[in-house]
């Protein structure tokens, strides 16, 4: 059909940016959290950083399983998912490095990973990931959550590496892990996948994907709060 696009059609061309505008406050809450700002200005409490490090190592192991489940959903999509699978596989390869990096970083800071007990907030986030691994959950919904999880870390840590920040030298490697340009490119590829898929998705799936995005943002805020010693 020719002619002018409706507002809904225009919004669907870049669903993620539409949502980020709509949910700006919570997105900023997740990507400019006081914990991140304290890394950025050099006032970070090292015991908070160590808490984050140990808890995130546990989270990342659940996350690897989640990514595997997204990969399976991509493969089961009948149409052209080969490109999506390559991006996801690249993400998994990076996670392999990441798990090793956590072990190295933990020993550098004297954090005993085998002693870490997952906190309630972390357990709840991991349980949320597990709920998305259910085969009933649509690929479009899972890949939206996946993008959001990666994007929060990318935006947060890239913020600590900007010109004129006071990020402590011994935390810069951590910030580089998620704040580097390659990771930024990877998040951009994921965003394009999501936008391309959602453009053709049903209203019901789009609604579910939006709910998943908001849940991720809430869990990310809670995760930072937990690291700072709050709940
Ligand atoms: C709580 C949380 N959210 C996002 C990430 C980034 N993804 C993989 O590393 C992470 N490590 N931890």
């Amino acid at each position: 059909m020719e002619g002018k696009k409706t507002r809904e059609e225009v919004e669907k061309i870049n669903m993620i940016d539409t949502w980020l505008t709509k949910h700006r406050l919570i997105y900023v809450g997740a990507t400019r959290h006081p914990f991140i700002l304290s890394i950025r200005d050099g006032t970070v409490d090292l015991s908070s950083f160590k808490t984050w490090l140990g808890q995130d190592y546990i989270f990342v192991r659940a996350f690897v399983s989640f990514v595997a489940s997204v990969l399976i959903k991509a493969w089961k999509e009948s149409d052209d998912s080969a490109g999506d699978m390559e991006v996801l596989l690249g993400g998994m390869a990076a996670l392999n490095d990441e798990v090793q990096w956590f072990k190295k970083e933990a020993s550098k800071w004297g954090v005993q990973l085998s002693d870490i007990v997952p906190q309630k907030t972390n357990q709840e986030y991991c349980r949320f990931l597990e709920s998305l691994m259910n085969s009933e959950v649509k690929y479009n919904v899972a890949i939206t959550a996946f993008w959001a999880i990666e994007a929060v870390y990318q935006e947060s840590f890239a913020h600590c590496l900007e010109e004129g920040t006071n990020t402590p030298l011994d935390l810069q490697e951590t910030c580089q892990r998620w704040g580097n340009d390659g990771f930024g490119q990877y998040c951009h590829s994921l965003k394009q996948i999501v936008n391309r898929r959602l453009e053709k998705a049903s209203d019901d799936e789009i609604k579910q994907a939006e709910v998943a995005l908001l849940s991720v943002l809430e869990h990310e805020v809670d995760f930072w709060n937990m690291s700072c010693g709050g709940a």
Side-chain angles (χ1 to χ4, degrees):
M1 205 175 73
E2 297 244 9
K4 219 164 153 263
K5 285 190 162 61
T6 64
R7 183 170 61 89
E8 283 75 14
E9 283 167 336
V10 171
E11 284 178 352
K12 269 177 86 169
I13 291 170
N14 189 335
M15 209 57 236
I16 287 187
D17 284 343
T18 300
W19 284 337
L20 293 186
T21 305
K22 183 175 168 193
H23 304 298
R24 190 78 215 150
L25 273 182
I26 169 116
Y27 187 69
V28 170
T31 55
R32 298 288 184 265
H33 189 276
F35 178 68
I36 282 297
L37 298 179
S38 76
I39 292 178
R40 190 179 195 264
D41 68 17
T43 62
V44 60
D45 170 32
L46 284 180
S47 87
S48 298
F49 178 78
K50 290 185 199 179
T51 301
W52 167 79
L53 188 73
Q55 292 295 319
D56 212 41
Y57 171 71
I58 293 175
F59 174 83
V60 164
R61 284 166 37 213
F63 186 63
V64 169
S65 309
F66 168 66
V67 182
S69 80
V70 182
L71 190 67
I72 291 168
K73 289 187 209 293
W75 176 64
K76 290 191 172 171
E77 290 285 300
S78 46
D79 54 326
D80 60 325
S81 61
D84 292 17
M85 288 181 72
E86 282 178 30
V87 174
L88 290 165
L89 188 58
M92 290 205 80
L95 283 166
N96 183 33
D97 281 354
E98 195 171 305
V99 168
Q100 300 313 314
W101 175 82
F102 269 102
K103 292 198 251 179
K104 190 191 71 162
E105 197 67 10
S107 89
K108 169 175 145 186
W109 293 97
V111 173
Q112 192 66 46
L113 291 177
S114 55
D115 292 349
I116 306 286
V117 177
Q119 292 191 27
K120 185 166 163 282
T121 300
N122 197 0
Q123 284 174 354
E124 284 168 0
Y125 200 176
C126 293
R127 251 199 304 274
F128 169 70
L129 289 185
E130 231 181 304
S131 75
L132 294 174
M133 295 186 220
N134 194 310
S135 59
E136 317 263 276
V137 175
K138 290 289 199 301
Y139 173 60
N140 289 335
V141 177
I143 190 90
T144 300
F146 181 51
W147 164 78
I149 294 167
E150 298 288 52
V152 166
Y153 264 43
Q154 194 273 327
E155 276 234 23
S156 299
F157 286 110
H159 192 50
C160 300
L161 295 171
E162 287 167 1
E163 205 78 43
T165 54
N166 259 326
T167 300
L169 209 60
D170 48 8
L171 298 188
Q172 284 182 12
E173 196 187 307
T174 300
C175 300
Q176 279 291 344
R177 174 146 286 280
W178 293 280
N180 76 77
D181 292 340
F183 197 76
Q185 281 297 319
Y186 161 69
C187 289
H188 185 72
S189 303
L190 286 175
K191 182 177 174 178
Q192 282 182 320
I193 289 172
V194 173
N195 278 334
R196 194 159 31 76
R197 297 271 162 189
L198 291 181
E199 212 180 329
K200 290 177 262 161
S202 69
D203 287 349
D204 189 45
E205 270 187 45
I206 291 178
K207 195 71 225 165
Q208 288 172 30
E210 185 177 12
V211 170
L213 163 68
L214 287 172
S215 298
V216 166
L217 296 177
E218 282 165 16
H219 282 296
E220 289 290 341
V221 171
D222 290 345
F223 203 92
W224 295 133
N225 285 340
M226 169 195 73
S227 304
C228 296

